[in-house]
Amino acid sequence: MEKKDDKAVLEGEEAAEETRLLLHSACIVTMGPDAAVYRDGALLITGSNITAIGKTESMLAQYGSSSQVHDLSGRWILPGLINTHVHTSQQLGRGIADDVDLLTWLHGRIWPYESHMTEEDSYLSTLLCGIELIHSGVTCFAEAGGQHVPGMAHAVQRLGIRACLARSTMDSGEGLPQLWAAETTDSCLQIQEDLFEQYHGSAGGRIRIWYGLRQILNASDSLLLRTKAAADKHKTGIHMHVAEIPYENEWVVKTRNVDHGTVTHLNNIGVLGKNLLAAHSVWVNPREVQMMADQQVKVSHCPAAAMRMLGFAPIQEMQSAGVCVSLGTDGAPSNNRMSLVDEMYLASLINKGKAAYTRGTTDPTALPAENILKMATINGAQSVLWEDEIGSLEVGKKADLLILNPDLWTTLPVHDPIANIVYCMRTENIESVICDGQWIMQNCKILTVNEGQILKDAREAAANIITRANIQLPLRMNVIP
């Protein structure tokens, strides 16, 4: 990776003269406050922003002669999807921790792997993850925390997408790799302060720096409180894994002298707030759900990861209480698939199944398609504190969008467009992606990076990390060389 050390480099070249791009003859699903869907619509992009939306005929007449015109011939335009919980640094570790319990997953596989990564490794891992995110229509993601934020930032700059990047911080707890155990509360906070100063607002404003807390099992109360104070001072977010497994709550009850678990303790000490993005939040009781609603906490629901290792999060109960719930994929070792398209489908099935199991009767109306699409778009924008610019297609907002082809075997016939997006769409349907007014992918080809070279480099880097970390993976079958 070419070494780059300052925000000025990440700003890129001087902005070119603003161009007008007119996309027309499309079904536009705006996800705006009025839930407007234009069956034969057009959208005008000027520079990085959406400057007009309307019917094709009138938009062509008004802007056609002064714009670069693209006839989408019945394609659909959606807001870019927002993945609110992903570990980009774990992409090179896909497949190293399958079919193990969470603590073995963390202490025996993932932490040894992550602690032996270099900045170059993190850069390649983020590039590889970004390729998969873009192919699945994601234009913005929230990084849950790795050690090498500069590597992530330079990858995001190259990819052309948008990100909230956080460093994984831990100042206490058992099982920490030797390379991490020396970090103190002071060093955790100073590193993040420096990262904020260097990278927040870089890449033309596409990168924001958040504060990261790995989990309460590895955070002193001092780190929790000082992180909250720092994030509030900088008016930025906090990304934290919350209430993942029963053991976590049991440990909190014993060590923090509370009657339930993580959410109760965070509420007691004043860490819950509108800038906290709580990943997973599976093992929370009704009183804690109300605490989260009262404090405007955002929740990232990761259906695949939850089903793999964690359990059923009370998503319907959260939404009924007024909690903003969005969607995430988690990292590759806990999901294997970085497709938010898949997560939408899983979220619909899991929560319908949970309703049937807990109530003793089926409820096909649980978490309907429109709710899930909101979770992947406007709720995602609210969760990453960026709803004033992204999450819906509205005049004045950033031109972050995806273009999908509904005329494939995956989605035909189309009777209900919103239902088809959630229940039928696959990554194969997504043809093009625009972020910040720039084409990132056209006709299924990513334009910003060389996919083939990244795949080659990532394959080599992944093997080297496993060797350095001395991770021994089981042979599941009698493999004959």
Side-chain angles (χ1 to χ4, degrees), residues 171-172 215-224 240 248-259 261-262 264-266 268-269:
D171 71 344
S172 59
Q215 58 180 348
I216 199 168
L217 298 169
N218 300 102
S220 66
D221 278 0
S222 177
L223 181 60
L224 294 171
M240 180 181 181
E248 177 186 327
N249 282 339
E250 294 164 5
W251 184 86
V252 172
V253 168
K254 291 177 182 177
T255 61
R256 301 308 210 271
N257 193 31
V258 295
D259 62 1
T262 302
T264 297
H265 181 62
L266 295 178
N268 288 349
I269 64 174

Side-chain angles (χ1 to χ4, degrees), residues 27-75:
C27 174
I28 303 177
V29 181
T30 65
M31 301 307 295
D34 59 357
V37 176
Y38 293 84
R39 287 199 174 271
D40 181 18
L43 182 147
L44 181 69
I45 300 169
T46 305
S48 62
N49 293 88
I50 298 168
T51 48
I53 304 175
K55 298 291 291 181
T56 290
E57 184 178 3
S58 60
M59 292 281 284
L60 278 173
Q62 188 170 359
Y63 303 110
S65 62
S66 61
S67 307
Q68 297 177 11
V69 178
H70 288 257
D71 183 351
L72 295 187
S73 303
R75 301 303 196 255

Side-chain angles (χ1 to χ4, degrees), residues 328-375:
T329 56
D330 211 343
S334 57
N335 182 348
N336 297 97
R337 303 181 182 193
M338 297 294 98
S339 171
L340 212 64
V341 172
D342 290 353
E343 297 301 315
M344 286 196 290
Y345 181 57
L346 282 172
S348 71
L349 297 182
I350 288 168
N351 288 284
K352 286 173 170 58
K354 175 181 178 289
Y357 178 77
T358 56
R359 300 172 191 171
T361 182
T362 58
D363 182 8
T365 67
L367 220 63
E370 57 269 28
N371 283 18
I372 292 172
L373 192 53
K374 287 178 182 177
M375 291 165 69

Side-chain angles (χ1 to χ4, degrees), residues 258-448:
V258 295
D259 62 1
H260 191 258
T262 302
V263 172
T264 297
H265 181 62
L266 295 178
N267 186 65
N268 288 349
I269 64 174
V271 173
L272 294 189
K274 61 184 179 181
N275 63 343
L276 175 63
L277 177 55
H280 304 304
S281 302
V282 173
W283 297 92
V284 293
N285 63 22
R287 188 164 59 89
E288 290 176 322
V289 168
Q290 192 58 52
M291 290 176 188
M292 298 171 90
D294 291 342
Q295 298 300 326
Q296 301 178 61
V297 171
K298 315 304 191 298
V299 169
S300 179
H301 176 40
C302 305
M307 287 301 91
R308 186 169 185 177
M309 293 187 292
L310 308 178
F312 293 101
I315 300 303
Q316 274 192 285
E317 293 83 351
M318 289 179 182
Q319 291 188 341
S320 295
V323 177
C324 177
V325 182
S326 56
L327 287 175
T329 56
D330 211 343
S334 57
N335 182 348
N336 297 97
R337 303 181 182 193
M338 297 294 98
S339 171
L340 212 64
V341 172
D342 290 353
E343 297 301 315
M344 286 196 290
Y345 181 57
L346 282 172
S348 71
L349 297 182
I350 288 168
N351 288 284
K352 286 173 170 58
K354 175 181 178 289
Y357 178 77
T358 56
R359 300 172 191 171
T361 182
T362 58
D363 182 8
T365 67
L367 220 63
E370 57 269 28
N371 283 18
I372 292 172
L373 192 53
K374 287 178 182 177
M375 291 165 69
T377 54
I378 191 62
N379 284 16
Q382 292 171 8
S383 294
V384 298
L385 311 178
W386 223 325
E387 69 271 24
D388 58 331
E389 292 189 283
I390 61 175
S392 59
L393 302 178
E394 300 178 64
V395 172
K397 284 196 170 185
K398 293 294 184 181
D400 289 13
L401 56 91
L402 65 89
I403 299 169
L404 67 90
N405 180 3
D407 295 325
L408 298 181
W409 57 270
T410 55
T411 41
L412 282 176
V414 178
H415 301 300
D416 181 341
I418 303 303
N420 273 49
I421 290 167
V422 172
Y423 301 136
C424 307
M425 182 173 71
R426 305 192 193 180
T427 55
E428 294 96 318
N429 290 94
I430 297 172
E431 289 187 340
S432 301
V433 172
I434 291 175
C435 183
D436 212 38
Q438 301 297 313
W439 292 100
I440 304 302
M441 183 171 75
Q442 275 187 294
N443 300 318
C444 300
K445 178 178 173 56
I446 294 179
L447 306 178
T448 52

Side-chain angles (χ1 to χ4, degrees), residues 119-136:
E119 184 176 325
E120 176 71 16
D121 293 331
S122 186
Y123 169 72
L124 286 171
S125 190
T126 303
L127 286 175
L128 183 64
C129 185
I131 287 171
E132 190 167 0
L133 294 177
I134 292 168
H135 276 293
S136 63

